Amino acid sequence: MSQWGQFDCSERICAAAMAESQVPYPYDAATITSLKASLSEPRFATYLTKAAGNEHFAFALYLYNAKLAKSFLFPLSVAEVTLRNAVDGVLRQLHGDE
């Protein structure tokens, strides 16, 4: 176990975690450089700061954030459809089926 408690941020573990929703491939130095450029240095810097400079842990945090955002997708979708249907119902009562 690393200094991050339950997180073992070895390259192999983080590569497996990051590849959860994609075809697995190794996160070597060139891949990490490419990912950082794709995310933008300022955006990745946020995660890198929280990870005290540990790039592998920063990618684990980025993945956690992506999973968290994904977890809100379905409930927000249901709320949006429910609200839209409620507004439609009220408008139909007020204005008919025009």
Side-chain angles (χ1 to χ4, degrees), residues 37-79:
S38 295
L39 296 175
S40 84
E41 289 288 338
R43 179 169 178 81
F44 187 69
T46 302
Y47 296 91
L48 198 55
T49 299
K50 294 291 182 186
N54 182 318
E55 287 184 333
H56 296 290
F57 186 58
F59 279 115
L61 290 175
Y62 190 84
L63 178 63
Y64 175 79
N65 185 60
K67 286 180 176 180
L68 184 62
K70 180 182 173 183
S71 73
F72 284 104
L73 185 59
F74 181 72
L76 284 173
S77 176
V78 170

Side-chain angles (χ1 to χ4, degrees), residues 11-25:
E11 186 171 340
R12 217 175 96 205
I13 297 297
C14 287
M18 288 293 288
E20 178 180 284
S21 62
Q22 32 180 278
V23 175
Y25 62 94

